Amino acid sequence: MPSLVGLLLLTAVVSAQGHSFDPREATISSTHHSLYTGLTTCREVVSSFLSRIEALNNHTNAIISLNPHALAAADACDAQLQSNNGSFGALFCIPTLLKDNYDTAELPTTGGNLALKNSRPSLEAPVVTALKKAGAIIMGKANLHELALEGLSVSSVGGQTINPYDTTRTPGGSSGGSGASIAASFSVFATGSDTVNSLRSPASANSLFSCRPTRGLISRKGIIPISYTQDVIGPIARSVEDVATALTVMSSIGYDAADNATALAPPGIQGTDYTTSLKQGSLKGLRIGLLEGFFNRTASSETTPVNQAMANVTAKLRLAGVTIVPITESLYNASAVSAQLDTQRYEYRQEMDAYLQRPSLEGQHPETLEELYATPPGNFLVIPSQYEYVSTSLISSTSNATYAAVQAGIRNLTLALRATFAANNLDAMIYPEQKNLVVPIGSASQSGRNGILAALTGTPVVTIPIGFSPASATAPEGVPVGMELLGLPWTEAKLLQMAYQIEAMGRIRRTPKFAQQVVEVKQYEAVPSVRPNAANIPNAYPVGVL
Ligand SMILES: *[C@@H]1O[C@H](CO)[C@@H](O)[C@H](O)[C@H]1NC(C)=O
Ligand SMILES: *[C@@H]1O[C@H](CO)[C@@H](O)[C@H](O)[C@H]1NC(C)=O
Ligand SMILES: *[C@@H]1O[C@H](CO)[C@@H](O)[C@H](O)[C@H]1NC(C)=O
Ligand SMILES: *[C@@H]1O[C@H](CO)[C@@H](O)[C@H](O)[C@H]1NC(C)=O
Ligand SMILES: *[C@@H]1O[C@H](CO)[C@@H](O)[C@H](O)[C@H]1NC(C)=O
Ligand SMILES: *[C@@H]1O[C@H](CO)[C@@H](O)[C@H](O)[C@H]1NC(C)=O
Ligand SMILES: *[C@@H]1O[C@H](CO)[C@@H](O)[C@H](O)[C@H]1NC(C)=O
Ligand SMILES: *[C@@H]1O[C@H](CO)[C@@H](O)[C@H](O)[C@H]1NC(C)=O
């Protein structure tokens, strides 16, 4: 039960805002506090986020579709509240957005690709079922880089998602619609997927936290795939506690025969409640490796803010009693590792063909990756010839002789990483998610990112906001900078504890300027439809031209 002081404080906030629920920067616990003290209803919570999406989505173009059943789900929560019927799930009435590569039965799952515009899974992903069972309200689907194949977050269904902090920049990606939505308080948290960088780049570029879990912690069934070796899924949120709560629910599925990587989890790990031990951590005495090879030390307006933000956080960590251990091995070179060991070019076609051929996939859709790319011009945006790994994937497979050598190289890299941890007695490693600020709209790629190390080794990473570039005309709050905190497999609980302590060292996150405004809450009869602006695709992307 909330304390009297908590209630009084909340009442003060309520009268100051003139609203009984303020969705801006709302957390799971602040939402539950308002609901369980009778200050608001679930319908009002959901309506307040819908109102923000309707009023503000054009600033960022983050949303692809809204769930027509969201208000009915809210009413069901209110009925449960009124009858005080049973216990409320960890995500009871928590507005949640899904990256549009998560299968849902009530909405198409497009991957942002026009060829999948009408693709209708009849079965939802097990992780979506787990979220709903815990009470989450699925608000709708967020834009992504088409089929999650790049980090710019532009797609033929959704157009270009714009960074909420800087109108000239991309929001990172590929889960860029998820990141932009949460930065703008379009819901309490969102989900993403990560094949190389895709949960971490949008967290970094939108001043958010995310968790890329250990491969095998969460079943990937029902997520549009790219790579059996590298794909994982996880949450993006505005606080460590919300990431921990969402991760607890998402990983509660446990072993899933449909994704045999889930058999890798040690007994009991998948039932962990990542929230219980958050406050018990301490940074004092920890040893954290700093990956020197993951920086660009050439000074420029794009790199200096990143290097300064990293210098700021390492100084604070030292003050908190952490020993920072410089790691200088030449092995840790993200571009070299990525060029040698990325598996997408071998695994993509097989994974995608299997996804497209499931009998449960209804609606009009291609049956194979080859057919997807053979559809008439205008249906896709990531042109295979634009990316060597996509065009190679159309001819190559896991039976390619090089694939075995790549897998051997990954085993070697994984062992080398563990050896670095052991030799230096490390608790974790840190480095910037991206060596430079998130790139401008119209760039050819989201260059400078460091996600490949965790992607290949299957290790967990919590992404943490650590600073901002100086403000500018297009970025009134500055451009966010994020850090990766990487640990050994299955150490999510420890990483989240550390992230919680780092978060407590002082608030870094800022709200984007346009998202600071109060939006009047509408009384909805039905969920509105939000049309993504698919016309704002930069010239660098000539849709469908081969
Ligand atoms: C978004 O739409 C509102 C209302 O139509 C308008 O006032 C505002 O200028 C638009 N903003 C942008 C960035 O397009
Ligand atoms: C209590 O909730 C359960 C599931 O949420 C529902 O099946 C049941 O009908 C509810 N009972 C009452 C009395 O509302
Ligand atoms: C695990 O699943 C993958 C993809 O479905 C499959 O290719 C592989 O053979 C399976 N491995 C085992 C040992 O069952
Ligand atoms: C490092 O940053 C500089 C300045 O922004 C840039 O010109 C250079 O291309 C970057 N180097 C690499 C390897 O990305
Ligand atoms: C990292 O690898 C790339 C090749 O992918 C190379 O050009 C670069 O010089 C390497 N960086 C360092 C610091 O060795
Ligand atoms: C095998 O993989 C290599 C390296 O990616 C690629 O260049 C080649 O085209 C592939 N060949 C076949 C037959 O798949
Ligand atoms: C294995 O990793 C080590 C560095 O840790 C490197 O020297 C060696 O060349 C690698 N071997 C293979 C086969 O990749
Ligand atoms: C680093 O910290 C200083 C002092 O608090 C602050 O002024 C500066 O903006 C920070 N730099 C970044 C990039 O966040």
Side-chain angles (χ1 to χ4, degrees):
M1 279 309 284
S3 69
L4 185 58
V5 175
L7 270 178
L8 289 174
L9 274 175
L10 198 72
T11 312
V13 172
V14 166
S15 37
Q17 299 297 340
H19 291 274
S20 48
F21 174 73
D22 190 346
R24 293 170 303 165
E25 302 291 324
T27 61
I28 294 170
S29 76
S30 76
T31 306
H32 281 169
H33 197 74
S34 299
L35 281 166
Y36 298 155
T37 53
L39 283 164
T40 191
T41 61
C42 189
R43 180 171 259 268
E44 188 182 31
V45 167
V46 168
S47 301
S48 69
F49 285 106
L50 289 175
S51 301
R52 288 184 68 77
I53 293 170
E54 251 201 309
L56 304 178
N57 188 47
N58 63 343
H59 288 266
T60 179
N61 196 37
I63 306 288
I64 281 187
S65 58
L66 290 175
N67 177 8
H69 306 302
L71 288 167
D75 291 344
C77 283
D78 283 328
Q80 206 187 332
L81 267 176
Q82 283 205 328
S83 63
N84 200 9
N85 172 7
S87 64
F88 303 120
L91 296 174
F92 181 77
C93 182
I94 296 301
T96 303
L97 281 159
L98 304 174
K99 184 178 186 177
D100 200 8
N101 60 357
Y102 278 57
D103 281 358
T104 46
E106 57 266 88
L107 288 168
T109 297
T110 72
N113 186 304
L114 281 174
L116 297 179
K117 191 176 58 146
N118 300 311
S119 187
R120 294 293 298 243
S122 59
L123 297 176
E124 63 192 12
V127 70
V128 176
T129 307
L131 289 166
K132 285 184 180 171
K133 241 177 90 185
I137 311 270
I138 305 302
M139 300 290 284
K141 300 291 202 67
N143 196 24
L144 64 160
H145 199 97
E146 188 164 273
L147 297 171
L149 293 172
E150 236 295 355
L152 303 165
S153 296
V154 54
S155 77
S156 52
V157 170
Q160 174 70 60
T161 294
I162 299 156
N163 191 302
Y165 293 89
D166 185 339
T167 50
T168 67
R169 291 187 194 257
T170 61
S174 64
S175 316
S178 300
S181 295
I182 301 311
S185 293
F186 288 170
S187 72
V188 175
F189 77 97
T191 67
S193 60
D194 187 321
T195 305
V196 190
N197 289 284
S198 293
L199 277 158
R200 294 164 283 165
S201 157
S204 171
N206 291 284
S207 201
L208 301 168
F209 297 88
S210 71
C211 179
R212 177 193 160 96
T214 309
R215 174 171 177 271
L217 185 68
I218 307 176
S219 170
R220 302 167 293 185
K221 186 188 178 195
I223 311 298
I224 299 180
I226 301 174
S227 159
Y228 175 76
T229 302
Q230 294 169 220
D231 289 349
V232 297
I233 60 172
I236 302 183
R238 294 182 289 267
S239 72
V240 175
E241 190 172 16
D242 286 0
V243 166
T245 303
L247 186 71
T248 300
V249 171
M250 293 173 82
S251 62
S252 68
I253 310 163
Y255 172 69
D256 179 0
D259 177 4
N260 56 22
T262 55
L264 294 167
I269 279 282
Q270 285 148 325
T272 303
D273 181 344
Y274 292 102
T275 63
T276 51
S277 59
L278 280 185
K279 293 172 185 149
Q280 289 156 20
S282 165
L283 294 169
K284 202 172 163 67
L286 295 182
R287 293 173 59 81
I288 300 184
L290 180 70
L291 280 187
E292 297 286 353
F294 280 20
F295 287 77
N296 179 341
R297 298 292 188 188
T298 307
S300 78
S301 57
E302 298 301 299
T303 53
T304 303
V306 175
N307 295 334
Q308 273 182 359
M310 282 301 298
N312 283 359
V313 74
T314 44
K316 285 191 219 164
L317 286 169
R318 283 199 180 95
L319 274 177
V322 171
T323 302
I324 301 290
V325 184
I327 304 295
T328 55
E329 291 159 74
S330 61
L331 162 77
Y332 298 114
N333 175 333
S335 49
V337 165
S338 161
Q340 287 156 21
L341 301 179
D342 191 292
T343 62
Q344 297 175 88
R345 60 175 60 75
Y346 309 102
E347 297 178 343
Y348 185 33
R349 182 161 51 89
Q350 280 165 244
E351 291 286 312
M352 194 61 171
D353 288 356
Y355 174 89
L356 293 170
Q357 281 159 24
R358 292 167 310 156
S360 63
L361 190 61
E362 295 174 0
Q364 192 197 356
H365 61 84
E367 297 283 315
T368 63
L369 184 64
E370 194 179 1
E371 198 183 312
L372 184 151
Y373 280 118
T375 50
N379 272 0
F380 51 86
L381 211 154
V382 171
I383 304 156
S385 61
Q386 212 172 2
Y387 297 101
E388 179 276 324
Y389 78 90
V390 181
S391 51
T392 305
S393 76
L394 287 168
I395 52 161
S396 195
S397 72
T398 54
S399 38
N400 187 316
T402 332
Y403 182 65
V406 165
Q407 286 294 348
I410 291 174
R411 285 194 294 277
N412 192 23
L413 177 68
T414 306
L415 185 60
L417 179 65
R418 295 194 83 118
T420 302
F421 267 83
N424 297 285
N425 194 18
L426 298 181
D427 294 286
M429 283 183 174
I430 53 171
Y431 47 89
E433 201 294 321
Q434 191 164 12
K435 299 177 181 81
N436 39 272
L437 297 178
V438 71
V439 302
I441 289 169
S443 303
S445 73
Q446 194 60 260
S447 56
R449 295 181 297 168
N450 291 318
I452 191 71
L453 180 61
L456 294 177
T457 57
T459 43
V461 171
V462 175
T463 307
I464 302 172
I466 54 166
F468 280 85
S469 71
S472 71
T474 57
E477 301 285 348
V479 179
V481 177
M483 173 176 84
E484 292 198 24
L485 179 71
L486 178 147
L488 289 175
W490 319 112
T491 60
E492 279 83 355
K494 179 175 175 175
L495 292 177
L496 287 163
Q497 259 183 5
M498 293 169 73
Y500 189 84
Q501 305 298 321
I502 295 172
E503 182 184 31
M505 294 190 317
R507 188 173 174 85
I508 297 289
R509 187 182 148 66
R510 299 172 190 163
T511 306
K513 203 85 188 166
F514 77 82
Q516 292 169 12
Q517 63 189 279
V518 175
V519 172
E520 196 185 332
V521 183
K522 284 198 186 173
Q523 310 290 319
Y524 288 104
E525 305 224 325
V527 173
S529 60
V530 164
R531 288 198 190 290
N533 178 4
N536 68 347
I537 292 171
N539 291 336
Y541 281 88
V543 179
V545 178
L546 276 167

